[in-house]
Amino acid sequence: MARPRRPLLSRDRITAAALAVVDADGLEALSTRRLATELGVSGPSLYNHVATKDELLDDVVDSVLGEVDTTAMAGLSPSRRDWATALAAWARSYRTALAAHPNIVPALASGPGNRPHALRIADAVFGGLVGAGWPRREATRVGALMRYFVTGSALGSFAGGFPADAAVYESGYPHLDQAHLLAERQQRIDDEAFETGLAALLEGLGARYRRLTDAPHD
């Protein structure tokens, strides 16, 4: 019997199928048995491409992070210090990528690990901030702060978590008399909350940057 011209499996195909499982049913649903079923292959054949479940999860997370645009952070320097604009562009791109795959967000909690796109993002953000004049120690803190903010905003919807039944709030919650309207306005409220938080963070970081760049630093 002639061998197929194209292999049944590839690492990219496995990663895409695994991401689809996570998107549909969450991280806990991802297993080699489930993935083999989705791909129509035997479980052991997966190990020819991915050695462990942890390695598979790294591939899945990194495929999402590959959608994050860091180009705005490139080229920042003492003569081009518009780091706030660049940081905002990166943060919005980061949130967009994570918001499209919210079930993957908990897997980001352990840090970049040995994930190429995750390390690319960390390198670009840190390098851009240092290039724009942030002290190295502070640049590390700013990068971590922004990551906490973006991943938190992508983890779930604050507005979408309120019941749409007005009767829920009628007894004992006098200040939530309009809360039943939040769920139907979820996208707008969540987007506006993100932009409000981003503006506040950048305003505070701007004041900190001005103080730090006027003083000796390491």
Side-chain angles (χ1 to χ4, degrees):
M1 182 175 178
R3 297 179 62 186
R5 293 182 180 180
R6 297 172 59 188
L8 294 176
L9 288 179
S10 69
R11 192 149 181 153
D12 286 346
R13 185 183 171 210
I14 292 170
T15 300
L19 178 59
V21 169
V22 173
D23 282 344
D25 297 315
L27 287 167
E28 64 282 357
L30 184 60
S31 68
T32 53
R33 177 178 295 181
R34 168 74 181 273
L35 193 54
T37 299
E38 296 290 334
L39 290 166
V41 300
S42 64
S45 64
L46 294 175
Y47 294 109
N48 293 326
H49 301 271
V50 183
T52 66
K53 182 179 175 179
D54 286 343
E55 185 178 316
L56 172 62
L57 185 57
D58 278 343
D59 284 355
V60 172
V61 172
D62 214 44
S63 71
V64 173
L65 295 180
E67 302 171 16
V68 180
D69 185 0
T70 60
T71 55
M73 298 300 299
L76 295 176
S77 66
S79 61
R80 184 191 158 221
R81 295 192 172 198
D82 52 340
W83 57 265
T85 300
L87 206 58
W90 162 68
R92 292 185 183 110
S93 176
Y94 194 9
R95 177 180 180 246
T96 297
L98 297 187
H101 308 281
N103 289 342
I104 209 71
V105 176
L108 295 168
S110 61
N114 189 20
R115 300 165 181 161
H117 286 300
L119 292 171
R120 169 186 62 83
I121 292 169
D123 182 73
V125 173
F126 178 76
L129 290 171
V130 172
W134 279 91
R136 293 175 65 89
R137 183 180 301 174
E138 289 288 326
T140 299
R141 293 170 180 170
V142 172
L145 167 65
M146 296 303 296
R147 183 172 174 274
Y148 300 152
F149 172 65
V150 174
T151 55
S153 72
L155 189 57
S157 170
F158 172 79
F162 285 85
D165 183 0
V168 171
Y169 310 98
E170 290 176 356
S171 177
Y173 309 103
H175 304 297
L176 298 181
D177 57 315
Q178 299 293 307
H180 63 286
L181 301 174
L182 294 177
E184 68 182 46
R185 302 170 184 175
Q186 170 183 338
Q187 188 65 55
R188 177 173 62 82
I189 292 170
D190 289 346
D191 288 346
E192 290 174 352
F194 175 80
E195 290 297 330
T196 298
L198 181 60
L201 278 175
L202 293 176
E203 182 179 350
L205 288 173
R208 186 173 183 84
Y209 176 81
R210 289 188 291 273
R211 289 197 304 271
L212 289 168
T213 51
D214 287 339
H217 52 260
D218 55 31

